[in-house]
Amino acid sequence: MAKRIQFSATGAPEVLEYVDFDPKDPAADEVQVENRAIGINYIDTYVRSGLYAPASLPSGLGTEASGVVKQVGANVRHIKVGDRVVYAQSSLGAYSEVHNVPAYRVAVLPEGVSFEQAAASFLKGLTVEYLFRQTYKVKAGETILFQAAAGGVGLIACQWAKALGVKLIGTVGSEEKAKLAKEAGAWATINYQTEDVAARVAELTQGEKVSVVYDSVGQSTWLASLDSLKRHGLLVSFGNASGPVTGVNLGILNQKGSLFVTRPSLNNYVTNQEEPTHASQELFSLIASGAIKVDVKESQKFPLSEARRAHETLESRATSGSSLLIPGK
């Protein structure tokens, strides 16, 4: 027997249940991981609430964790029992003491990267990797705009941008979060509660604006993101923290400068065994070197049994950086 979080109906954090279950042996192309740290991501709240409906109910939750391999399937060759690993996958169930994972979604942890660092950074770090290296390849000296720069993905993006010599303008919701983003490496910050984002972007760039905006907020930042782009600029919309962008007349892209918009996701960038390994190499290197720090506040480490409280805290916007669930805590 083992413990996991599941939900039988979508809704508020109260639907999350802490239950017993019997782990199955891994399938031929899977590995079984005993989780040591579990990443909490904002997308988990979308699934729980029903915005991104699970395939069936009751359902597990969570897509990211780190731990030790306990069993391997018959076809698995690149992972062995006892390996320290981290994974991010498309199917749900990482909020669990033990979880079976497709082997191609698993990366072996190098020395110098802890379980907590890995679980706090893997999905977020792979997200920044595909945003900065594949969706739009940022260049040293370039100025970019990153909405929600003090969130889990945002703080990694601030550090990664600094390491690449990119001038990241980050939006934040408070002076405290502005301080966090600047300490992480943001070139400049904009408090969206008190400042006009697009006007400040124009001011900071001497009227040029930016070639790319990375936006995980969605509905409430849509127009500000478009208005921050120079002619032929690209808006990379990769989340919906304030709600989805709907009812858009595409003519607005023409009116604001023949702009481009894309809606990528990690699942379209990690589709085989080589891709997560390749994408994680630079991330792990930056963590091991200290260029990216992913230390998690003690107040944002929750026992697995308190996933409900973790979601309440996350949705209250009271967190900064990454949060974790710890089995056995």
Side-chain angles (χ1 to χ4, degrees):
M1 295 288 287
K3 291 284 192 179
R4 75 168 188 167
I5 297 295
Q6 70 174 34
F7 58 108
S8 300
T10 57
E14 289 75 19
V15 302
L16 298 179
E17 306 168 308
Y18 185 55
V19 300
D20 293 313
F21 80 109
D22 288 313
K24 297 179 181 178
D25 289 336
D29 295 308
E30 292 181 330
V31 300
Q32 185 175 93
V33 181
E34 182 181 89
N35 291 333
R36 300 294 177 83
I38 301 162
I40 304 171
N41 295 284
Y42 212 91
I43 194 171
D44 301 342
T45 71
Y46 299 163
V47 175
R48 186 214 71 227
S49 69
L51 179 62
Y52 295 167
S56 61
L57 294 172
S59 172
L61 189 62
T63 58
E64 173 185 39
S66 62
V68 177
V69 175
K70 306 304 290 183
Q71 296 185 59
V72 299
N75 296 338
V76 178
R77 298 289 180 267
H78 69 293
I79 303 289
K80 64 183 186 298
V81 172
D83 278 348
R84 298 169 66 252
V85 298
V86 62
Y87 61 86
Q89 62 172 83
S90 57
S91 58
L92 302 172
Y95 285 18
S96 178
E97 291 178 336
V98 178
H99 191 40
N100 294 340
V101 188
Y104 79 91
R105 293 277 186 172
V106 174
V108 176
L109 283 179
E111 293 299 321
V113 179
S114 70
F115 290 123
E116 290 191 1
Q117 286 177 315
S121 68
F122 194 56
L123 183 57
K124 300 173 184 70
L126 292 189
T127 297
V128 176
E129 193 278 339
Y130 86 70
L131 292 175
F132 282 6
R133 294 309 213 184
Q134 300 185 67
T135 307
Y136 177 95
K137 295 183 179 180
V138 296
K139 301 176 287 294
E142 186 172 24
T143 304
I144 67 175
L145 177 65
F146 204 99
Q147 299 276 18
V153 174
L155 288 178
I156 290 176
C158 288
Q159 296 175 81
W160 206 318
K162 183 178 180 181
L164 295 173
V166 172
K167 298 159 83 172
L168 182 148
I169 302 171
T171 67
V172 296
S174 68
E175 291 307 309
E176 179 186 3
K177 290 190 174 184
K179 185 173 183 286
L180 287 172
K182 290 294 290 290
E183 288 174 348
W187 174 68
T189 59
I190 301 171
N191 187 333
Y192 61 79
Q193 301 278 17
T194 59
E195 299 178 278
D196 182 313
V197 171
R200 277 290 288 147
V201 168
E203 182 181 346
L204 288 164
T205 59
Q206 288 76 54
E208 288 190 12
K209 301 187 181 182
V210 296
S211 295
V212 62
V213 176
Y214 297 101
D215 189 340
S216 65
V217 180
Q219 187 180 73
S220 68
T221 52
W222 165 250
L223 289 177
S225 291
L226 292 180
D227 287 336
S228 298
L229 287 166
K230 64 177 63 173
R231 186 167 57 98
H232 303 167
L234 172 66
L235 170 54
V236 182
S237 175
F238 67 102
N240 311 292
S242 69
V245 177
T246 59
V248 174
N249 178 347
L250 290 180
I252 195 172
L253 302 179
N254 171 48
Q255 295 164 14
K256 293 183 180 294
S258 295
L259 304 178
F260 295 86
V261 176
T262 185
R263 181 60 173 89
S265 70
L266 181 61
N267 288 336
N268 290 319
Y269 285 92
V270 176
T271 60
N272 57 49
Q273 178 181 321
E274 291 75 24
E275 287 174 345
T277 300
H278 175 76
S280 65
Q281 285 175 344
E282 186 175 2
L283 172 65
F284 290 155
S285 176
L286 289 168
I287 292 172
S289 71
I292 288 180
K293 295 179 174 62
V294 286
D295 298 328
V296 179
K297 296 178 182 178
E298 286 301 319
S299 63
Q300 291 178 209
K301 297 177 186 177
F302 302 86
L304 177 61
S305 59
E306 296 186 18
R308 180 184 300 180
R309 182 166 68 88
H311 274 222
E312 291 169 346
T313 306
L314 183 66
E315 290 182 304
S316 73
R317 303 295 179 92
T319 65
S320 59
S322 300
S323 299
L324 295 173
L325 295 172
I326 308 296
K329 182 178 178 181

